[in-house]
Every structure is written in C-alpha cells, then in structure tokens.
Amino acid sequence: MKTNRRRFLGHGSAVVLGAMPSLVSRAVMADEGTRSNRNGKILVVIQMSGGNDGINTIIPYADEGYAMHRKKLRLPTDRLLKINDSVGFHPSMRSAADLLEQGKLGIVQCVGYPNPSRSHDTSMAIWHSAQVGDEDVLRSHGWLGMAMDAARKKTDDPDMILVGDESQPLAIQSRRSTAVTLSSLTDLRLRQPAHAQPKPTSDQASESSLAQFVDQTMQDAIATASALERNTEGGADGSAKYPTTRIGRRMQTISTMVKSGFQTPIYYAIQSGYDTHAAQLPSHSRLLREFSDATKAFLDDIEASGLSDQVCVMGFSEFGRRVAENNSEGTDHGTAGPVFLAGNRVRSGLIGTTPKLTDLVDGDLQMSTDFRNMYQEVTQAWLGISELQAAESPSSLKLFDA
C-alpha cells in the first residue's frame, strides 16, 4: 500500500499529523527522555543512484590492470587509505576507513547479477525487485516490500519510510505493507505555536464519538509536532557531527526517528549523482566523502543512544562502471560493484573476491557475488525473515557476526 506523506499536507498541520497517530507516542517518549525500547532490527538503505564507480571506490591498486585502464583517473597509491597490501579506500573515504578500523564496516566486493543491464531504469528495477531479466519483466513489488509482507508484524508505525523528496522506489512497494515518504521532520512543524492552536469546546467534544476522535487526534498531533520540533533542534547525541549535506540531513532525520522509538524496521534514503560520464574525479570524491561522513555520523549518533546493536546501514548502486575510462575523463555504465554494510553486528572487512582488472568479460568486471544472495542473508540473518526467498540457490555468504 503506497502512501505519500505529502498527501497528508494541505489543510492544517494538526489534521495532517493526525493521519499518522503513531508518531505521537514515539515523539513524546523521546521528548521525555525515554529511549527506544524496541528489540527488533532496523535496516537503513542508502541508494547510491547513477552507478557508482566501484573501481575508484575500493581500489585494487596492486592490480596491474588499474594503471593500464585508468590513465587519467588513476588515484596515486600513496594517497589511498590502505585496507591491505593490494586494496585501498578512495582518499575521501576517511570516515569509512575509520568504521573499518572499528570493526563496523563490511565491503562486499564485485556484487552484481547475470547478464547485466546497462540501463539505469532496468538495472535499478532488478536491484529493487530482486527479479533478474530485461525491461519487459513485470515487477510490481520490491524486495523490502515483500520482506515486510512476509514478516506479518503489526504495529501502528509505517513498515518502511523513505526520507527524501523523491518518488518512492520500487524496493519499498508491497502488497499490504505501509510505505511513507517524509521529506524531513520540518514537514511536521506547526504553522502556529502550540499554545495558539484552537482548543475544543466542551460542546464540540461531546457532540459525537467521531468528534471526540477528531479532537483527540488534533491534540495528539499538536503534541507530536511540538515534541519532534524540540528533538530536531536538540541535534545529535555524543560526538556525532552530521555533515551539512543532503544525505547528512536525511541520515540525521532517520536517527531522530529511530531514537524516538519508532517501530519502523526499514528506512530508505537516496544519494544521487554517481552517473559520472565526464570530469569524474572531483564529483566522485565529493559523493564518496558525503556518503562516508553521513554513514559514520549516523552510526556514532546511534552508538551514543545505545541502539547500535539494532541498526545496520546498507549502501548499494545499480551497477558499477566500465573498467576503462572514457575520453571525457569519466567512466561509462558497467556491471558489478561494491556494496557496503555498516554497523556493530556486520562482518567487518573485505567480503568476497577482489575484482581482477586483467580478467574481464567484454571489458567489464566479472561478478563474484550475486546480489540476491546478499538480500537473502540480510532478510534472514538481520531482519529475521525466513519466508522471503530472494536467492535462486543456497549461498554460504555470511554478512553478520553471530
């Protein structure tokens, strides 16, 4: 069931907020200093839209093919943040390197699928739905939506929340679970101070059970808006310092909701701009820094709140880039790339086979990990949902510590 937060906006903030009554109790809990008492796991997905150049993200610098295929885009070895004696982070990923040193970052290498598509729309739909095939394949529901349908957990909170102003991705479309879009917590601000909101009269309140319900909903909504606004202004806990970037603000919004005690298990955020066909070096560096800094700030914030064992962040892109650079100092659409998993419970380090830049198929990397096996592990080992079968065959892939 698709629900857009903006549909709730329009006539008055109190009425708007009343459409999501579960926000009320969670926000008030946080405002009173009560941390989440939930025991379920939370998955935060960051979609790195455009096709991230994985080769210049997790760099196989010791591979002779790197210097051979990347003349102008090759990053100097002495600037890389070394993971081992053959692989290193892009220099702008200092925060990601820190997470790895803390044992909180897993990097699944060379993730893809058979017969890869170079179309943004088709490849993203494949990743969203976990259904491999061409653009004619009917894909109505996403893997996260199907996972939530299979979980059959009933709470008052939305099953999935997209934080941002984009259209809801197919990944969170479902048959019967609830997906909500929230551009930011400022959407919930009152248009007038709480004390200036209209008060019900005794006659209104006693008119009918419906009137009483509406009145109570309005008052709860006012309380919610006031509490969430104060929590938002309160900022992050501990040493967390969120970057003032779009993805940084979105991760801070998600953190505020998690800390407020929401029962929502899936949060989704989109970081666009990875389609780097020309002048790649500066833009790619900025994007990777923003991704890394936002992810670390979020996990630091969650750690300070005592919720770190409950939260996992996953970053993915719809495909990698071609191994050889193009004539515009950029890269074109390729195949496989790295997927990031971050959190206290992830299996930290490099996972899977490091790509070989001298053993290509039509100039592209050979996929070594099928993303559907990764989905299977995330839904079963992390979200605890065994009913969803995303993978075609059993896999020994282990992404989380016991």
Side-chain angles (χ1 to χ4, degrees):
M1 180 169 59
K2 180 178 179 180
T3 305
N4 190 313
R5 177 69 195 172
R6 292 188 180 279
R7 293 179 182 176
F8 296 128
L9 302 175
H11 299 296
S13 45
V15 175
V16 167
L17 287 162
M20 293 181 69
S22 62
L23 295 176
V24 175
S25 59
R26 307 295 179 260
V28 172
M29 283 170 56
D31 188 54
E32 294 171 345
T34 304
R35 292 302 184 192
S36 169
N37 60 357
R38 70 190 314 284
N39 295 317
K41 294 294 192 294
I42 295 170
L43 177 66
V44 180
V45 177
I46 300 177
Q47 176 179 306
M48 305 163 77
S49 290
N52 177 38
D53 180 17
I55 295 171
N56 262 21
T57 301
I58 304 300
I59 301 154
Y61 64 88
D63 190 316
E64 61 180 339
Y66 184 55
M68 181 170 64
H69 293 292
R70 299 291 174 99
K71 303 295 185 185
K72 295 184 177 179
L73 298 184
R74 183 174 68 86
L75 299 168
T77 301
D78 60 359
R79 290 184 54 210
L80 304 181
L81 305 171
K82 307 292 175 50
I83 297 174
N84 57 31
D85 58 3
S86 60
V87 178
F89 285 102
H90 187 287
S92 68
M93 300 183 73
R94 179 71 262 176
S95 294
D98 290 343
L99 287 174
L100 183 67
E101 291 176 3
Q102 296 168 7
K104 298 179 181 178
L105 183 67
I107 305 160
V108 190
Q109 304 177 98
C110 235
V111 184
Y113 55 89
N115 303 314
S117 171
R118 298 186 195 280
S119 160
H120 289 292
D121 290 342
T122 301
S123 193
M124 190 63 85
I126 289 171
W127 277 81
H128 280 170
S129 65
Q131 295 185 64
V132 174
D134 60 25
E135 66 273 14
D136 294 329
V137 173
L138 179 61
R139 301 177 175 94
S140 302
H141 305 111
W143 73 283
L144 294 168
M146 290 186 286
M148 291 299 97
D149 283 350
R152 298 189 183 93
K153 293 180 179 178
K154 296 185 181 300
T155 70
D156 291 334
D157 294 328
D159 299 297
M160 298 162 283
I161 297 179
L162 168 69
V163 176
D165 51 13
E166 297 90 349
S167 299
Q168 286 187 3
L170 175 61
I172 61 173
Q173 303 298 316
S174 68
R175 292 184 185 278
R176 54 183 176 272
S177 299
T178 306
V180 167
T181 299
L182 183 67
S183 60
S184 76
L185 291 180
T186 57
D187 279 357
L188 305 179
R189 283 182 175 167
L190 294 168
R191 294 172 183 174
Q192 303 177 59
H195 62 78
Q197 296 294 326
K199 305 294 183 186
T201 66
S202 55
D203 289 342
Q204 287 174 320
S206 60
E207 182 178 343
S208 67
S209 58
L210 176 60
Q212 292 176 15
F213 171 77
V214 171
D215 170 61
Q216 185 60 52
T217 300
M218 290 180 65
Q219 297 310 308
D220 288 346
I222 292 169
T224 298
S226 300
L228 274 173
E229 191 160 357
R230 286 192 293 274
N231 289 332
T232 302
E233 292 172 351
D237 289 338
S239 60
K241 295 181 180 178
Y242 284 92
T244 57
T245 59
R246 176 174 293 185
I247 188 63
R249 290 190 292 272
R250 290 175 176 182
M251 294 301 282
Q252 187 169 14
T253 295
I254 292 171
S255 173
T256 300
M257 288 189 282
V258 170
K259 293 186 298 183
S260 295
F262 280 59
Q263 301 296 305
T264 297
I266 304 294
Y267 294 89
Y268 205 100
I270 297 174
Q271 184 198 23
S272 301
Y274 285 92
D275 197 16
T276 50
H277 288 285
Q280 174 177 303
L281 284 177
S283 59
H284 195 231
S285 177
R286 173 183 56 79
L287 289 164
L288 294 177
R289 179 179 295 105
E290 292 178 357
F291 169 78
S292 301
D293 290 352
T295 300
K296 186 169 189 304
F298 173 78
L299 290 176
D300 287 347
D301 197 7
I302 292 296
E303 176 88 29
S305 304
L307 300 171
S308 54
D309 286 343
Q310 296 176 219
V311 180
C312 172
V313 178
M314 186 181 87
F316 82 99
S317 197
E318 68 266 39
F319 45 60
R321 315 295 293 189
R322 297 279 285 176
V323 176
E325 62 193 23
N326 61 27
N327 294 326
S328 301
E329 298 186 18
T331 50
D332 299 324
H333 301 178
T335 55
V339 172
F340 299 93
L341 289 166
N344 268 17
R345 303 293 298 277
V346 304
R347 177 185 162 200
S348 191
L350 294 171
I351 301 170
T353 304
T354 299
K356 296 181 179 179
L357 307 192
T358 55
D359 185 16
L360 308 178
V361 176
D362 296 330
D364 284 315
L365 297 178
Q366 296 192 50
M367 176 265 290
S368 60
T369 299
D370 192 312
F371 79 97
R372 293 168 293 181
N373 291 331
M374 201 186 60
Y375 284 1
Q376 188 81 37
E377 174 75 355
V378 169
T379 53
Q380 291 187 357
W382 182 250
L383 296 175
I385 302 168
S386 58
E387 292 85 349
L388 182 68
Q389 298 296 322
E392 288 192 326
S393 57
S395 168
S396 59
L397 187 66
K398 299 296 181 186
L399 301 178
F400 301 94
D401 293 331

